[in-house]
Amino acid sequence: MFTEITPPDGGPPPHWHENEDECFYILEGTVSFLFDDRWTDAHPGDAVFAPRKQVHTFKNNTSQPTKMLIRTSPGGFER
């Protein structure tokens, strides 16, 4: 589990994980998520799940940094 602070216009390119599921819990700001060619906004208190082997990404489309708690399962992704 780790904290992600994403600057305005920041976020990774579309990607997928071979072994890890990801769960994103939004702490601050609005984060846009892409799944199956569809963008969805998540707000503080929302949780978003990205199962392993599914292409996904997130982006901060706002003018302020966003903050999320990200959990990967199983552990070891941080290495």
Side-chain angles (χ1 to χ4, degrees):
M1 188 177 287
F2 57 95
T3 302
E4 165 72 22
I5 298 173
T6 307
D9 295 319
H15 64 283
W16 59 281
H17 305 281
E18 181 71 28
N19 300 308
E20 296 86 17
D21 295 322
E22 280 185 296
C23 187
F24 304 85
Y25 182 75
I26 313 307
L27 298 171
E28 297 176 11
T30 299
V31 182
S32 298
F33 286 88
L34 177 69
F35 293 100
D36 298 324
D37 296 323
R38 185 170 157 249
W39 287 95
T40 303
D41 287 343
H43 308 279
D46 290 344
V48 176
F49 180 68
R52 67 191 76 186
K53 299 183 181 179
Q54 181 180 19
V55 175
H56 63 281
T57 191
F58 60 86
K59 184 166 175 75
N60 176 358
N61 291 317
T62 73
S63 62
Q64 298 296 315
T66 59
K67 187 174 183 180
M68 298 184 284
L69 187 60
I70 302 176
R71 179 179 169 263
T72 61
S73 179
F77 180 78
E78 68 280 359
R79 288 184 231 132

